Amino acid sequence: MSDIVERYNIPEQHFWLHGPRSGRPVEYDAGTGLWNVYGYPELQEVLGDPATFSSDTMRVVPKDLMPDSEEFSLAGFITQIDPPEHGKLRKLVSSAFTRKVVADLEPRIAVVTHELLDAAQDRGRLELVTDLAYPLPVIVIAELLGVPSSDRALFKQWADALFQRDTKVSLTEPAEQQKLDVEATMRPWREMSAYLAGHAAERRRQPRADLLTKLVEAEVDGERLPDDQVVNFAIVLLLAGHVTTTMLLGSTVLCLDAFPEQQDKVRADRASLPAVIEESLRFLTPFAMLGRSTTREVELGGVTIPADQLVMIWLGAANRDPRQFPDPDVFDPARDPNPHLSFGRGIHFCLGAPLARLEGRVALNILLDRFNPLRTDPDDPVDFMPTPAMTGVRRLPLI
């Protein structure tokens, strides 16, 4: 791993990529006031017990650090909701991500991929993120949702503001700094909410055959979803529907560049591409960290975590746990099984995982067809996202 870390200048905050951890699988950090879970079996336990490890992390954040309730609501924000409400909301969109619905998108994904690569070829360069890895999944999810994919520059602006900051999660930062961080998050959130609220209002007047119309017309327990729930649900789908695939594509190309022998193997046997994608998801975990809050005192990894604590679960570190993955710092697509946790586990398992895998397979097959070899530009360095919560590139120039 040291060669890769130096070659691509991987940020220090991605500590799990800088060699084996020496600490315990569960640790308390007095500096931030947070509990951190790094071990694979410990993460499995957390993800499999939503009654003890709640997704509603905001309930343990000091109230004076929370935005005004009139301008910010978590209603409908499915990643922050526990059962039974979570199950009801998840059912609303599960029909949009069935195996058949996703499979039927394959021709459209291929057409968009070729169009984007043709446009890059006309410009005489290929920067993978800007030219393909970002626009492809945005176009697909925007078309599913029913918002103009031509607005994708707006979506990127909001996603970058929310996800690409290097701010660390902490409960002990000075109050003034924490308020500044909250406001920096709220600005893009307000803009995105207003944008989607406008589209939702238009669907109430003129329904269409899209996912936003389904949300507007959906009923839970005999009642239509309130406006804030529709908007928050749409925000999750729009953001989560493209960010993971963007990182997946960039990271997989990076792995094929770093390990040319694996690129040769997958070129010779395209049936092995899904396994390459799965190992890329383990090796460079897109969403490397998630938050949970304890609802009761619980023992985990040999330590006792009190109730009402904020717990950070490090998927990126768990996917490198040698207790589960032999030689975890080796990129080995032949791992079988490869039970990585990159899409989560349990009731919050990523709804869009089948779509992300399909987009990755289709786009990478086309890239392998059109570029031989796939190589980064040594004169134009790769640029990683700075945030410790995510593993991915924001610039990846190719020769």
Side-chain angles (χ1 to χ4, degrees), residues 3 26 41 59 92 106 111 140 152 169 223 242 246 266 317:
D3 291 343
V26 180
R59 68 182 191 83
L92 293 181
E106 183 165 350
V111 166
V140 173
R152 59 181 179 268
V169 179
E223 294 185 3
H242 80 265
T246 296
V266 76

Side-chain angles (χ1 to χ4, degrees), residues 27-345:
E27 294 179 334
Y28 178 69
D29 182 358
T32 61
L34 305 173
W35 291 83
N36 293 289
V37 183
Y38 304 109
Y40 185 93
E42 291 78 17
L43 250 79
Q44 278 197 312
E45 190 172 335
V46 171
L47 293 170
D49 185 4
T52 301
F53 297 94
S54 168
S55 294
D56 181 7
T57 54
M58 295 298 143
R59 68 182 191 83
V60 298
V61 174
K63 294 295 181 280
D64 58 339
L65 298 178
M66 291 291 293
D68 191 303
S69 60
E70 292 184 5
E71 69 169 355
F72 179 75
S73 166
L74 285 174
F77 201 77
I78 192 169
T79 59
Q80 290 277 318
I81 295 174
D82 295 321
E85 290 77 15
H86 171 268
K88 296 173 185 176
L89 288 174
R90 189 173 172 110
K91 284 180 184 176
L92 293 181
V93 290
S94 59
S95 62
F97 296 97
T98 63
R99 186 174 298 178
K100 182 181 188 311
V101 169
V102 170
D104 288 348
L105 291 171
E106 183 165 350
R108 176 62 179 153
I109 294 168
V111 166
V112 173
T113 300
H114 280 296
E115 288 176 349
L116 291 168
L117 291 176
D118 288 345
Q121 190 169 1
D122 290 343
R123 291 190 294 271
R125 62 167 181 82
L126 177 61
E127 193 283 288
L128 189 80
V129 177
T130 302
D131 295 333
L132 178 66
Y134 173 72
L136 171 63
V138 166
I139 289 169
V140 173
I141 196 63
E143 290 178 354
L144 269 178
L145 196 55
V147 297
S149 60
S150 56
D151 286 342
R152 59 181 179 268
L154 263 181
F155 309 153
K156 187 172 194 314
Q157 179 183 318
W158 294 329
D160 287 353
L162 290 168
F163 293 135
Q164 293 211 18
R165 299 162 66 236
D166 60 2
T167 304
K168 294 181 179 179
V169 179
S170 174
L171 295 178
T172 59
E173 280 279 331
E176 196 57 41
Q177 181 59 50
Q178 294 198 42
K179 287 178 181 177
L180 290 173
D181 292 340
V182 169
E183 179 55 31
T185 300
M186 286 309 302
R187 278 194 296 272
W189 188 275
R190 281 191 291 263
E191 292 173 10
M192 198 164 24
S193 296
Y195 173 90
L196 289 166
H199 281 284
E202 195 271 337
R203 289 312 184 283
R204 294 190 195 280
R205 295 190 297 270
Q206 291 186 307
R208 301 183 197 171
D210 57 33
L211 191 48
L212 195 51
T213 299
K214 284 186 180 180
L215 292 178
V216 165
E217 296 180 342
E219 292 186 358
V220 175
D221 296 335
E223 294 185 3
R224 291 280 178 94
L225 291 179
D227 289 348
D228 59 345
Q229 289 201 28
V230 170
V231 169
N232 284 347
F233 216 150
I235 287 174
V236 174
L237 293 171
L238 183 59
L239 292 177
H242 80 265
V243 173
T244 299
T245 303
T246 296
M247 291 189 286
L248 181 159
L249 283 170
S251 293
T252 306
V253 169
L254 200 66
C255 289
L256 294 177
D257 174 65
F259 305 101
E261 72 282 1
Q262 297 297 344
Q263 185 173 161
D264 291 342
K265 286 181 181 178
V266 76
R267 283 186 185 281
D269 178 16
R270 295 299 181 85
S272 67
L273 184 54
V276 170
I277 291 171
E278 296 306 308
E279 178 67 348
S280 166
L281 285 164
R282 182 199 71 83
F283 196 74
L284 296 173
T285 307
F287 278 95
M289 181 266 284
L290 299 173
R292 292 291 187 267
S293 63
T294 52
T295 60
R296 63 177 179 84
E297 182 179 281
V298 60
E299 185 173 322
L300 183 70
V303 301
T304 299
I305 305 176
D308 302 322
Q309 299 292 297
L310 192 54
V311 179
M312 298 292 109
I313 55 174
W314 292 89
L315 304 174
N319 282 338
R320 298 295 184 101
D321 189 334
R323 293 176 294 171
Q324 178 64 45
F325 301 101
D327 299 319
D329 292 337
V330 174
F331 181 76
D332 179 14
R335 289 181 193 275
D336 186 19
N338 188 357
H340 64 77
L341 298 171
S342 301
F343 287 124
R345 177 178 181 264

